[in-house]
Amino acid sequence: MITGSDPPRPTDVRCDPVGDFGCDPGQDTSLHEQLLELLADSATELLQAEALAPALDRIFERIRRVIRLDVFFHYAFDEAGQALDLVAWSGVPDARMADWRRVPIAHGVCSTLAQDRQVMIGENIQQSDDPRHAVARGMGMQAFYGTPLLHKGRLLGTLAFGRRCCGRFSDAEIRFLQTLSSHVTLADHRIGVDHELRARIEERDRMLAERSVIERQMLELTRASALGSIAATVAHELNQPLSAATNYLAALRMSSAGDESARALALSAEQQLHRIGEIIRRIRRMVRQDDLLLETRSLATVIDEAVLVVRAAAPGRIPPVTVAIGSDAPQARFDNIQIVQVLANLLRNAAEACEGRPASAITIATERLDPEMVVVRVIDNGRGIAPAVKPTLFQPGLRDGTHREHGMGLGLAISRHLIEGHGGRIWTEDTPGGGATFAFTLPAAPARTPVPA
């Protein structure tokens, strides 16, 4: 047995050639060229490999006839367990390898390679009485070449080749196996680094995704808390004057016994006050979102209802409103009271944006965004929205755009919360020719679902 990093000088021992080449180093000078070609092919294979075992299998199939190899073994070193784990092999039946899949650092060729961290070359091992050669002798091997795979002093594993045809390797063959082993070491290190890098990238992506979820949850909690406080304040401040106004109107209606017109107006006013009271109750409960009533309803009907609400409450005339219902989006699933509230808020904003502008107009259009969602757009040709306001337009406590000089800016913040409660989203778009477009999505209605009467 010969150990160390320098290849031995072979003596003049010959064996019968098999195939194209035998073991005689002076046999055919074309062997040198063929070995160089094999090294180039092997280096390319290892450079492109994503896993070492299949690459070694393919390389062994290419080199075994030229080098006259019968077996090879590649073990990975488990530093924590101080053992070798079998990664790839050839030339031995699978059943026989059962006991050699995990090898402790003890006696044996591969264990010695891991322990001594030096190249080991065995010659004429059938005549050897070295106990470390017992397994190799049992396989009928005459010679072996083994090397530790070391990268910057760190043991990655071991690589060993064996032959049965003759008792030694030639000088050229040993240099070839040494160079090939160096390529394998670099490939092993690169693949390990690639796997570790991918694992770290996956872990980073997982942590970023978790962080994003936590940030969204915190944002929702903050928004819900803010809206809850706003709702409680609004409800507390408005409940008493609304109750008083309702009582006054009821008294007016009952005292106007002979005036049908006054009774009708008083009744309409009472209905609107009751609607306001219901909206306030909804606002107080919406943070919990436990009263959302999703129904398949007509979008034209809810738009008409919102237009009537805005016309009745507006201090002056609102611009003409055109309703364009897409043929593929006549219905959606939504809570009627909440979407009336959203549309009424957007219509009021659009009407105020158009104040004092000639030929002002508002369009409400629906279309199918995708199989799951319908989009509703409220489009005006008013003053538009200043770019500086857009990023914070839907946050509570801000004005609803640039066309409002007064107000708390609650409408768009509440509208966003209501739309997100439906599983949709709300945003702004530029209007061709000037103005503003507010768009929001609602769940699409299932096919062939009748509209409630």
Side-chain angles (χ1 to χ4, degrees):
M1 179 183 68
I2 302 171
T3 61
S5 58
D6 295 328
R9 300 293 302 176
T11 57
D12 190 18
V13 179
R14 304 176 66 88
C15 66
D16 294 332
V18 181
D20 296 331
F21 301 101
C23 297
D24 183 2
Q27 189 179 54
D28 191 339
T29 56
S30 66
L31 174 62
H32 180 69
E33 295 179 359
Q34 192 165 0
L35 291 179
L36 290 176
E37 184 178 344
L38 286 174
L39 277 178
D41 292 343
S42 300
T44 301
E45 177 85 35
L46 291 167
L47 184 64
Q48 299 173 350
E50 295 185 2
L52 193 56
L56 286 176
D57 287 338
R58 291 189 290 268
I59 289 171
F60 182 75
E61 284 303 309
R62 283 200 294 267
I63 69 173
R64 65 184 183 87
R65 287 180 59 84
V66 178
I67 306 297
R68 298 310 304 155
L69 298 174
D70 296 293
V71 297
F72 91 93
F73 302 95
H74 168 51
Y75 281 90
F77 179 54
D78 177 10
E79 189 172 1
Q82 289 295 300
L84 297 171
D85 292 318
L86 186 63
V87 175
W89 80 95
S90 183
V92 181
D94 292 356
R96 192 171 181 185
M97 294 299 299
D99 296 333
W100 300 338
R101 293 186 180 274
R102 186 171 176 84
V103 179
I105 304 299
H107 289 293
V109 172
C110 292
S111 297
T112 302
L113 294 173
Q115 221 169 22
D116 296 346
R117 303 193 177 193
Q118 289 185 337
V119 172
M120 185 165 65
I121 300 172
E123 298 181 348
N124 300 313
I125 60 176
Q126 289 299 318
Q127 288 75 45
S128 170
D129 56 1
D130 191 326
R132 294 173 297 179
H133 298 172
V135 174
R137 284 197 301 271
M139 288 188 237
M141 284 195 288
Q142 294 283 356
F144 67 80
Y145 171 88
T147 181
L149 302 180
L150 297 169
H151 181 77
K152 295 184 178 180
R154 178 171 171 258
L155 179 65
L156 305 180
T158 64
L159 186 63
F161 299 94
R163 63 167 33 151
R164 300 186 179 99
C165 69
C166 61
R168 64 176 181 84
F169 286 98
S170 72
D171 196 8
E173 290 169 338
I174 289 174
R175 283 197 298 268
F176 171 84
L177 293 175
Q178 281 183 321
T179 306
L180 176 62
S181 299
S182 298
H183 293 332
V184 172
T185 300
L186 291 175
D188 194 4
H189 175 69
R190 177 189 59 78
I191 291 170
V193 170
D194 288 348
H195 288 171
E196 184 176 356
L197 181 60
R198 280 195 292 268
R200 290 185 179 183
I201 290 173
E202 290 173 0
E203 178 65 14
R204 183 206 62 181
D205 292 344
R206 183 189 64 79
M207 293 179 68
L208 288 176
E210 288 183 358
R211 177 182 173 180
S212 179
V213 170
I214 292 171
E215 287 177 347
R216 285 198 302 271
Q217 290 173 344
M218 291 178 66
L219 182 62
E220 289 300 323
L221 288 173
T222 302
R223 185 184 299 125
S225 176
L227 289 175
S229 299
I230 292 169
T233 302
V234 171
H236 176 75
E237 296 295 329
L238 293 184
N239 264 334
Q240 288 186 352
L242 281 174
S243 297
T246 303
N247 293 335
Y248 288 139
L249 284 172
L252 174 64
R253 178 168 51 83
M254 289 185 291
S255 66
S256 304
D259 191 340
E260 292 295 332
S261 176
R263 282 202 304 272
L265 290 174
L267 179 60
S268 297
E270 281 186 78
Q271 290 173 345
Q272 292 304 316
L273 288 173
H274 285 305
R275 173 184 290 277
I276 294 171
E278 177 61 26
I279 289 172
I280 290 174
R281 286 190 291 274
R282 285 292 186 94
I283 292 174
R284 296 177 68 179
R285 298 194 302 266
M286 75 178 180
V287 176
R288 300 193 304 270
Q289 295 186 1
D290 57 0
D291 63 338
L292 189 67
L293 181 60
L294 289 180
E295 296 178 302
T296 298
R297 306 185 70 94
S298 166
L299 287 167
T301 300
V302 73
I303 291 170
D304 290 342
E305 190 173 348
V307 172
L308 289 175
V309 168
V310 174
R311 287 191 192 280
R317 293 179 59 84
I318 69 172
V321 177
T322 301
V323 179
I325 303 296
S327 60
D328 56 351
Q331 301 173 317
R333 286 183 57 77
F334 54 88
D335 183 297
N336 190 68
I337 290 179
Q338 291 191 5
I339 298 308
V340 168
Q341 184 179 352
V342 171
L343 282 168
N345 178 65
L346 298 180
L347 279 167
R348 280 192 294 269
N349 290 346
E352 291 173 3
C354 292
E355 286 178 0
R357 298 180 71 83
S360 59
I362 299 172
T363 299
I364 304 177
T366 72
E367 66 173 324
R368 181 64 67 95
L369 185 65
D370 56 48
E372 303 298 326
M373 287 289 177
V374 168
V375 62
V376 180
R377 289 184 171 87
V378 179
I379 309 163
D380 68 64
N381 60 354
R383 286 184 286 274
I385 304 170
V389 177
K390 287 185 178 181
T392 53
L393 193 60
F394 295 96
Q395 293 182 7
L398 301 172
R399 295 188 180 92
D400 296 343
T402 60
H403 42 62
R404 273 198 169 181
E405 298 299 330
H406 305 288
M408 296 173 62
L410 302 180
L412 291 180
I414 292 173
S415 296
R416 176 183 179 179
H417 192 76
L418 294 177
I419 293 301
E420 289 179 351
H422 282 72
R425 62 188 184 93
I426 186 169
W427 68 95
T428 62
E429 299 174 349
D430 293 329
T431 304
T437 297
F438 283 83
F440 62 88
T441 54
L442 294 171
R448 298 190 180 90
T449 301
V451 180

